[in-house]
Every structure is written in C-alpha cells, then in structure tokens.
C-alpha cells in the first residue's frame, strides 16, 4: 500500500475534517496520524506541535470565512452588507462547525499575524464603513457585532433555541435588524446618554 503524501496543508486539512466531524477538541496529532495510517512522529516534519496544528486550522477557517464574507458583501453596503456578513457566518457554522469552533478561542501569534486574519479585518471594515464608523469606534462596533452574532450562533448550534417558539429562524432577522439599527444610530449614542442622564 502506498504511503499518503503528507504536507503541512494536507495535515491541517485533515485536522479540519476531523474537527467538523467530531468537534475541535477531538483534533490531536495522534488522531490525524491514525487517519493517514502513519505514526505520530511522522507529522512533526509538517507541524511543530498540537498548538501549531490547531492554529493552522484557525488560519484555514479565517481564510475560508473571509472568502465567504467577501462574496456575500461584494457591491453591497449598510443593511445589505451587514445581512451578507451575518449570513456568511451562519452558513459557515452550519457547513463547518468544527472549523468555526477553532475561531472561538485565543489563537496563537502565528494565526493572529497570518494574512487570513488581515483579510477578516478588511471585510469587517468594509461593512462598518458603510455606516460611517471608523477609528476606535470601529473596534468597539466590530466587538459588539461579533459578540451578538457569535453568541446567537453558538446558542443555536448547541440547541438552546430548540425548545421555545418562535423558531430561531425567525429570530435571526430580528438580530440583524437590531444590529442595523444600532450601527445606523451609532453616532447618536453620546447625545442619547446625555439626554438620559439629564
């Protein structure tokens, strides 16, 4: 029997497949080695250790997600871009749950510095620019949007919405509408605070 052709890309891709099938926590060097029919030490020529492997999956997920978002928001602005942005995240969670899990963690320095991470920043910026949000406000806004989307998607993924009505499918556009309202009125926040305090 021919030995499989191992490479860094092949090892990371197999790890991503295992993550999607069995969960991100199930990704180990031993599990990947077994899937290739090789001994674990054979993988060290391609990935430094488990942390590097998992960061590799994170970078792969960032790259795939950035590609999906880019296609979803191309030529769109304001609500249409936000909806494309949110729907791209939601479809990615549904298609690649394990890879998405790899994004819900503190990644290593190599992953943070990867070109894929910069691509994600660019598509985030593209959405916020449609609302005129720049500077430090951009950081605050993307944290708020990201927290809302990721919180909803995590709860939906683990079935937290399955036992109540209406269905999560009906709540999703409500979430997007609420975020759109927030971003549209972003620059009026200070006056609102002042009015409420007076």
């Amino acid at each position: 029997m021919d030995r499989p052709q191992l490479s860094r890309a092949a090892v990371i891709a197999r790890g991503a497949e295992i993550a999607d099938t069995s969960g991100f926590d199930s990704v180990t060097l031993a599990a990947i080695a077994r899937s290739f029919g090789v001994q674990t030490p054979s993988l060290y020529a391609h990935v430094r250790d488990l942390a590097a492997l998992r960061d590799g999956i994170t970078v792969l997920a960032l790259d795939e997600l950035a590609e999906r978002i880019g296609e979803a928001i191309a030529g769109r602005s304001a609500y249409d871009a936000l909806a494309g942005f949110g729907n791209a995240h939601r479809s990615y969670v549904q298609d690649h749950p394990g890879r998405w899990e790899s994004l819900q963690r503190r990644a290593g320095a190599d992953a943070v510095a990867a070109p894929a991470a910069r691509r994600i920043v660019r598509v985030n910026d593209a959405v916020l620019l449609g609302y005129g949000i720049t500077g430090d406000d951009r950081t605050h806004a993307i944290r708020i949007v990201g927290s809302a989307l990721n919180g909803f998607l995590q709860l939906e993924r683990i079935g937290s919405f399955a036992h109540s009505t209406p269905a999560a499918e009906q709540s999703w556009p409500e979430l997007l509408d609420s975020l759109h309202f927030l971003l549209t009125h972003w620059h009026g926040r200070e006056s609102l605070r002042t009015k409420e305090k007076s």
Side-chain angles (χ1 to χ4, degrees):
M1 176 183 277
D2 291 338
R3 281 291 182 93
Q5 283 293 111
L6 293 181
S7 66
R8 176 177 172 78
V11 170
I12 290 171
R14 183 60 57 84
E17 291 171 7
I18 291 172
D20 285 340
T21 301
S22 306
F24 186 69
D25 287 342
S26 68
V27 175
T28 64
L29 291 167
I32 292 174
R34 280 195 302 274
S35 76
F36 280 117
V38 300
Q39 297 297 310
T40 300
S42 302
L43 302 183
Y44 290 116
H46 309 287
V47 289
R48 182 179 64 252
D49 52 24
L50 180 59
L53 168 64
R54 291 184 170 180
D55 276 349
I57 296 171
T58 296
V59 171
L60 174 64
L62 285 170
D63 204 37
E64 291 176 341
L65 182 57
E67 180 72 23
R68 190 171 293 207
I69 293 170
E71 291 176 358
I73 69 173
R76 299 178 179 178
S77 63
Y79 179 82
D80 289 340
L82 176 65
F85 181 82
N87 290 332
H89 277 81
R90 194 173 186 215
S91 67
Y92 193 76
V93 175
Q94 293 165 348
D95 293 344
H96 299 295
R99 298 179 207 204
W100 183 79
E101 276 187 81
S102 78
L103 302 176
Q104 312 309 307
R105 55 188 278 275
R106 182 169 182 166
D110 289 346
V112 172
R118 293 193 291 275
R119 288 186 69 195
I120 284 288
V121 170
R122 286 197 296 273
V123 294
N124 287 343
D125 284 348
V127 173
L128 295 181
L129 284 172
Y131 291 97
I133 300 174
T134 59
D136 287 345
D137 277 352
R138 178 190 64 80
T139 302
H140 299 315
I142 203 60
R143 284 173 179 168
I144 291 167
V145 171
S147 296
L149 292 177
N150 286 346
F152 185 102
L153 293 172
Q154 171 65 2
L155 291 171
E156 182 180 41
R157 189 179 72 85
I158 64 176
S160 294
F161 301 146
H163 305 294
S164 60
T165 57
E169 196 65 37
Q170 292 176 258
S171 297
W172 179 250
E174 298 292 339
L175 174 64
L176 295 177
D177 286 349
S178 298
L179 290 173
H180 173 62
F181 183 86
L182 167 66
L183 297 176
T184 300
H185 296 87
W186 184 267
H187 299 295
R189 292 170 5 269
E190 290 298 333
S191 60
L192 182 62
R193 284 186 202 138
T194 303
K195 189 181 299 183
E196 288 180 345
K197 288 177 182 176
S198 60

